[in-house]
Amino acid sequence: MKSVKQHSALSRLVISSLAFLLFFSLNLSAQEGDAANGEKLFKSVCAACHKLDKKLVGPALKGITEKREQEWLIAWIKDSPGMIKSGDKLAIQVFEENNKLPMTANPQLSDQDIIDILAYTKGEPIAPKAVATQEIDPGVERGKKIFKTNCAACHKLEGKLIGPELLKIGDKYETDWLKAWIKDNTALVASGDKLAKTASEYSPIAMTPFPQLSDQDLDDLLSYLAVGDVKATAATGAVSANDQEIFENPGFGVLPTLGLTILAFVLLSLIVAATTNKVVVEGEEQEDSMLKSMIFNPFLRFLFVIFCVVGGAWLVFGWLMQVDLNEGYQPIQPIAFSHAVHAGDNKIDCQYCHSSAKHSKTSGIPTANVCMNCHKSISEYNGELFDGHSKEDLDNEIQKIYDAVGWDKENVQYIEGFEQKPIEWVRIHNLADFAYYNHSQHVTVAGLDCSKCHGPVEEMHEVYQYSPLTMDWCITCHRETEVDMTENGYYKNIHDQLAKKYGVEKVTEAQMGGLECGKCHY
């Protein structure tokens, strides 16, 4: 008789529970965001108006995913004005709760970008990235994440911000007292603790309590504050291909062509000399030396004169053509400002600093006040080092901004009566006076990206002139660029007439008049 093994009710329950947990974890991982990437995006997109743990212009965002649905948050962050106009009740409620201050739409963010930001707003410690060769205590690394999440808005390791510096704070106070102070400083003051009362008088702004931090969290935090930032040993000596690319493509220019011409002339001279070096003296045929034939042959002398005239004219013309052609020009600036750090790592939009590019002829040089929007709080550099600079070097570069505007970073205020000095940036892109160029026509009307002319600026630590900016370069672009007629009724009729005239579907900028001399030279 065939036996069948039956599972008990308990075993079936265990198996079902494990299957459910497996399915749930897979589903959860599919929606999980990258908190490390979310931190970068938060700093570049959200930090101007929001903090995690306290209100700034907008509300505190820590734990926002527990209050709102993820799909609603994605739609809100992408287009909050659109949601308000559509009549979404929750959007209108949030708008009114925040004094009807409009939130900037962020359509450039993908769904995954927003999920990463939401993962960061949970305030959980971010898993440290693997580093090369040097081991870092996991507790110190966790403490660093806790510090950035909870403390960095008001404190720095070294130097005053809103609160005092915290490096080696454990050398000044007992560990148990520090834990009690961080968890609930208000209660500690109310209990009559003399040290707590003295500490509370440091600033009129009360410190936020952190009851959610466990003892382990506080141990990790204090471990980090005891040692500060431990720099991992990174591989050095890597050379960026972009740094040399502009110099490694010389092409087939004047000098190679001139060399081939000289070679051809020498070969021709040898052939002529070899075939004409026989002379007849008193009825007998004799051979002259080839060198003598080359020197005294009338044809070769005539050819040599022509070659010198044409070759000289070629060299002079070639030299004149490179006058004011500054492709690759990379001057030393008064401050080591890295576009790779600002536009690349922190993803600051070009037009945040160069705000007049979309409205006027010039893109504009940002004033130091624009720098101070961020650098009131950022007085030291903690990113990846570049171009052989040390951390101290880059901190001194930030100090140059303070020296120009009169900012006292110790007391976090402007120096009264200070006479501000302009930062004398060195101009890189400089068109001739007889050439007219309008940034707004290209940025706003044509919708061109800045990199079309300026190259991958987000990868440049020190900016250089990426494009030649010659007449040929501009004309080539006009010949190849098709005019975008999307939602552009003004050009629609003109486009249809020109398309019929030229027998094409898409009209280029050149066919719209982009090659007319008066467009650029008037």
Side-chain angles (χ1 to χ4, degrees):
M1 185 176 181
K2 188 176 180 180
S3 63
V4 179
K5 184 176 180 181
Q6 295 184 344
H7 295 287
S8 67
L10 178 60
S11 65
R12 288 198 298 273
L13 178 61
V14 170
I15 292 171
S16 299
S17 300
L18 289 174
F20 171 79
L21 288 173
L22 177 62
F23 174 79
F24 179 78
S25 63
L26 289 173
N27 184 62
L28 185 64
S29 65
Q31 297 296 322
E32 194 173 21
D34 181 0
N37 184 50
E39 181 182 12
K40 291 181 181 178
L41 291 169
F42 180 92
K43 288 180 178 179
S44 63
V45 178
C46 314
C49 298
H50 294 277
K51 289 185 178 180
L52 284 183
D53 56 350
K54 64 196 309 186
K55 180 177 180 181
L56 195 56
V57 177
L61 295 184
K62 187 173 182 180
I64 192 68
T65 53
E66 298 172 8
K67 304 174 185 177
R68 306 278 186 261
E69 293 293 332
Q70 180 172 286
E71 290 183 5
W72 185 91
L73 286 169
I74 291 174
W76 171 259
I77 293 171
K78 279 195 171 184
D79 189 11
S80 57
M83 292 186 69
I84 295 169
K85 288 180 180 178
S86 70
D88 185 285
K89 292 182 179 179
L90 183 54
I92 295 172
Q93 178 187 335
V94 171
F95 179 64
E96 292 175 346
E97 285 175 354
N98 289 281
N99 300 320
K100 296 186 177 181
L101 288 173
M103 173 177 154
T104 305
N106 296 283
Q108 77 280 8
L109 296 176
S110 65
D111 288 0
Q112 187 58 52
D113 287 338
I114 296 174
I115 290 171
D116 292 346
I117 292 173
L118 296 177
Y120 172 65
T121 62
K122 292 178 182 178
E124 297 173 355
I126 301 172
K129 294 181 180 179
V131 296
T133 67
Q134 182 176 346
E135 294 184 2
I136 299 176
D137 181 359
V140 171
E141 195 65 22
R142 289 194 302 269
K144 181 177 181 179
K145 302 302 179 185
I146 294 169
F147 176 84
K148 286 189 172 182
T149 302
N150 300 283
C151 315
C154 299
H155 294 277
K156 295 194 294 186
L157 287 179
E158 296 180 87
K160 176 185 174 183
L161 193 54
I162 295 172
E165 66 176 49
L166 297 183
L167 186 63
K168 300 190 182 301
I169 193 72
D171 295 345
K172 303 175 184 178
Y173 303 100
E174 295 290 335
T175 301
D176 291 340
W177 184 89
L178 284 170
K179 288 183 178 181
W181 172 261
I182 296 170
K183 278 199 168 186
D184 193 353
N185 59 88
T186 306
L188 196 60
V189 173
S191 70
D193 187 284
K194 292 182 179 180
L195 185 55
K197 187 176 180 181
T198 303
S200 67
E201 293 171 353
Y202 178 86
S203 171
I205 301 173
M207 174 178 157
T208 305
F210 297 96
Q212 76 276 15
L213 296 180
S214 66
D215 287 342
Q216 183 61 54
D217 290 336
L218 295 174
D219 286 336
D220 293 339
L221 176 61
L222 294 175
S223 297
Y224 170 66
L225 298 179
V227 298
D229 288 315
V230 180
K231 297 293 182 183
T233 304
T236 58
V239 178
S240 170
N242 187 62
D243 291 341
Q244 297 298 327
E245 180 182 359
I246 201 164
F247 303 110
E248 293 178 351
N249 187 23
F252 199 75
V254 172
L255 292 180
T257 305
L258 189 60
L260 289 175
T261 305
I262 293 172
L263 180 61
F265 173 74
V266 171
L267 289 174
L268 180 61
S269 300
L270 291 173
I271 293 170
V272 172
T275 55
T276 60
N277 67 338
K278 294 181 180 180
V279 296
V280 178
V281 179
E282 297 179 354
E284 293 184 7
E285 189 179 78
Q286 297 180 358
E287 287 190 8
D288 271 346
S289 68
M290 188 174 294
L291 180 61
K292 186 177 179 181
S293 297
M294 290 177 67
I295 294 173
F296 293 103
N297 187 286
F299 173 73
L300 289 181
R301 280 188 285 181
F302 172 75
L303 192 64
F304 178 74
V305 170
I306 296 297
F307 172 78
C308 288
V309 171
V310 174
W314 195 355
L315 287 172
V316 171
F317 183 74
W319 182 84
L320 291 174
M321 284 297 290
Q322 58 84 40
V323 171
D324 205 34
L325 182 61
N326 299 315
E327 186 175 3
Y329 176 54
Q330 190 177 35
I332 297 174
Q333 299 291 354
I335 296 178
F337 177 88
S338 168
H339 279 76
V341 171
H342 291 79
D345 297 343
N346 295 318
K347 292 183 170 46
I348 298 175
D349 188 85
C350 301
Q351 295 182 41
Y352 177 78
C353 299
H354 303 282
S355 56
S356 60
K358 55 189 173 186
H359 300 302
S360 70
K361 175 185 174 182
T362 61
S363 62
I365 298 174
T367 65
N369 288 334
V370 176
C371 307
M372 290 301 295
N373 288 342
C374 297
H375 283 286
K376 280 182 180 178
S377 301
I378 304 171
S379 61
E380 57 182 337
Y381 181 77
N382 291 312
E384 225 175 277
L385 301 179
F386 58 90
D387 288 353
H389 295 298
S390 65
K391 181 184 184 303
E392 183 181 1
D393 293 337
L394 296 173
D395 288 347
N396 289 335
E397 297 300 310
I398 297 175
Q399 181 62 42
K400 290 179 183 178
I401 305 173
Y402 299 157
D403 294 340
V405 301
W407 176 257
D408 182 351
K409 68 178 182 180
E410 300 299 330
N411 296 312
V412 199
Q413 63 183 12
Y414 284 102
I415 300 170
E416 189 174 349
F418 183 87
E419 184 178 349
Q420 297 187 348
K421 302 179 288 290
I423 299 171
E424 298 181 359
W425 300 103
V426 180
R427 186 169 185 171
I428 299 173
H429 304 86
N430 193 11
L431 288 179
D433 291 341
F434 54 76
Y436 175 81
Y437 178 86
N438 190 306
H439 271 83
S440 63
Q441 181 70 21
H442 293 77
V443 174
T444 304
V445 180
L448 295 183
D449 190 76
C450 302
S451 60
K452 178 77 173 178
C453 301
H454 296 291
V457 174
E458 72 280 359
E459 298 174 7
M460 300 179 191
H461 286 298
E462 194 169 1
V463 172
Y464 59 86
Q465 183 174 314
Y466 178 82
S467 303
L469 304 184
T470 60
M471 184 173 176
D472 174 67
W473 179 77
C474 295
I475 287 175
T476 301
C477 182
H478 281 194
R479 283 173 174 158
E480 295 174 352
T481 303
E482 295 177 348
V483 179
D484 184 9
M485 295 297 154
T486 307
E487 298 180 2
N488 196 337
Y490 177 79
Y491 286 114
K492 185 69 171 64
N493 292 335
I494 303 175
H495 179 274
D496 292 343
Q497 293 170 12
L498 290 173
K500 185 177 180 180
K501 176 182 176 180
Y502 292 110
V504 295
E505 292 184 6
K506 290 283 189 179
V507 173
T508 64
E509 179 57 35
Q511 292 165 335
M512 291 283 286
L515 298 186
E516 295 174 6
C517 302
K519 286 288 195 295
C520 304
H521 306 290
Y522 66 85

